[in-house]
Amino acid sequence: MKSGVRHQLAEKMAGEITLSDSPGQALKKWRQSFSIPQGLLAERLEVSPSVISDYESGRRKSPGTAIVGKIVDTILSIDEDNGSRFINKFAKILYSEFDEDVIYDIHEYASPVALSDFAGVIEATTLCGPMDQTVYGYTVINSLNAILQLSSSEFNRIYGWSTERALIFTEVSTGKSPMVAIRVTPFKPRCVVLQGISPGEVHPIIPGLAERDRITVLCTQMDVETIISSLRGKAW
């Protein structure tokens, strides 16, 4: 797939890795976003798996632009061999605009942000799931409009460039609807934030759904505008 989409995606990936304060973490994010094991990437690059591990952990000096370009090209080639599943997913993001009444805000982080720090900014409390994780971005979504207006394929667009993100569903009543919608779609977020309710108001089915999909669920009663301004105000 030597297409315009592939070229644009390669440029975005290489640029983010090269310019990141943590190039290894950015590389790891993209590898995982394409669901490629370290061993497979190393095999295709004809290097030891420890080389990839050392780059991602920062034990090895950050790769130069030429090596980054080769790694990115290999990631995309592996995906093409598997039917371009993730390239097609990201193509929809490259060429699509989000309706303002569905997506209130969407943002990507070049480096991982600790979920505990993220939760602190929006004054969220933990309902279930581990907090010793990181996110690479967030999406603030009007829960009702997303469920009513988006098809299953369009729903996947809320993940932006990485599923390792927090999906903040606003004005929920019990949280059941967005969690069920996530359950029947192929991609799963790192974290779901239910805005406007307390843990005691959450539907009892939520912890079970979250555990099955390995999703951490948080609750916050901070208003939507404050959430967006608070997150945008952080220099992450």
Side-chain angles (χ1 to χ4, degrees), residues 75-95:
I75 289 174
L76 296 176
S77 294
I78 292 172
D79 189 55
E80 288 171 336
D81 292 344
N82 293 321
S84 300
R85 175 190 177 194
F86 292 99
I87 291 176
N88 291 334
K89 172 199 168 187
F90 293 130
K92 294 178 181 178
I93 299 169
L94 279 171
Y95 293 116

Side-chain angles (χ1 to χ4, degrees), residues 24-192:
Q25 289 287 349
L27 168 60
K28 181 179 180 180
K29 181 197 81 169
W30 281 111
R31 177 182 61 78
Q32 292 181 333
S33 293
F34 280 80
S35 293
I36 296 173
Q38 281 186 347
L40 176 57
L41 180 59
E43 179 182 336
R44 292 288 290 268
L45 288 167
E46 298 182 344
V47 299
S48 167
S50 64
V51 172
I52 304 300
S53 177
D54 287 347
Y55 276 140
E56 293 184 351
S57 65
R59 290 191 296 269
R60 182 181 289 258
K61 182 181 177 182
S62 298
T65 54
I67 296 177
V68 168
K70 185 176 181 181
I71 293 173
V72 167
D73 184 69
T74 301
I75 289 174
L76 296 176
S77 294
I78 292 172
D79 189 55
E80 288 171 336
D81 292 344
N82 293 321
S84 300
R85 175 190 177 194
F86 292 99
I87 291 176
N88 291 334
K89 172 199 168 187
F90 293 130
K92 294 178 181 178
I93 299 169
L94 279 171
Y95 293 116
S96 298
E97 294 294 332
F98 295 104
D99 295 330
E100 292 183 357
D101 62 340
V102 176
I103 305 296
Y104 291 147
D105 193 27
I106 185 167
H107 189 68
E108 313 294 330
Y109 299 129
S111 301
V113 173
L115 184 55
S116 56
D117 293 340
F118 183 91
V121 171
I122 60 174
E123 299 178 0
T125 55
T126 306
L127 176 70
C128 59
M131 290 297 294
D132 57 339
Q133 305 191 73
T134 57
V135 292
Y136 280 92
Y138 64 85
T139 310
V140 183
I141 310 137
N142 182 300
S143 178
L144 181 61
N145 288 345
I147 292 168
L148 292 178
Q149 298 180 29
L150 300 183
S151 66
S152 58
S153 60
E154 290 173 332
F155 191 85
N156 291 332
R157 292 165 49 202
I158 67 177
Y159 290 101
W161 293 103
S162 173
T163 56
E164 296 181 57
R165 70 192 307 105
L167 299 183
I168 304 173
F169 289 96
T170 68
E171 302 171 15
V172 299
S173 55
T174 67
K176 179 181 178 181
S177 294
M179 290 299 293
V180 170
I182 290 171
R183 181 78 186 115
V184 299
T185 55
F187 301 109
K188 312 300 178 186
R190 177 64 50 82
C191 171
V192 165

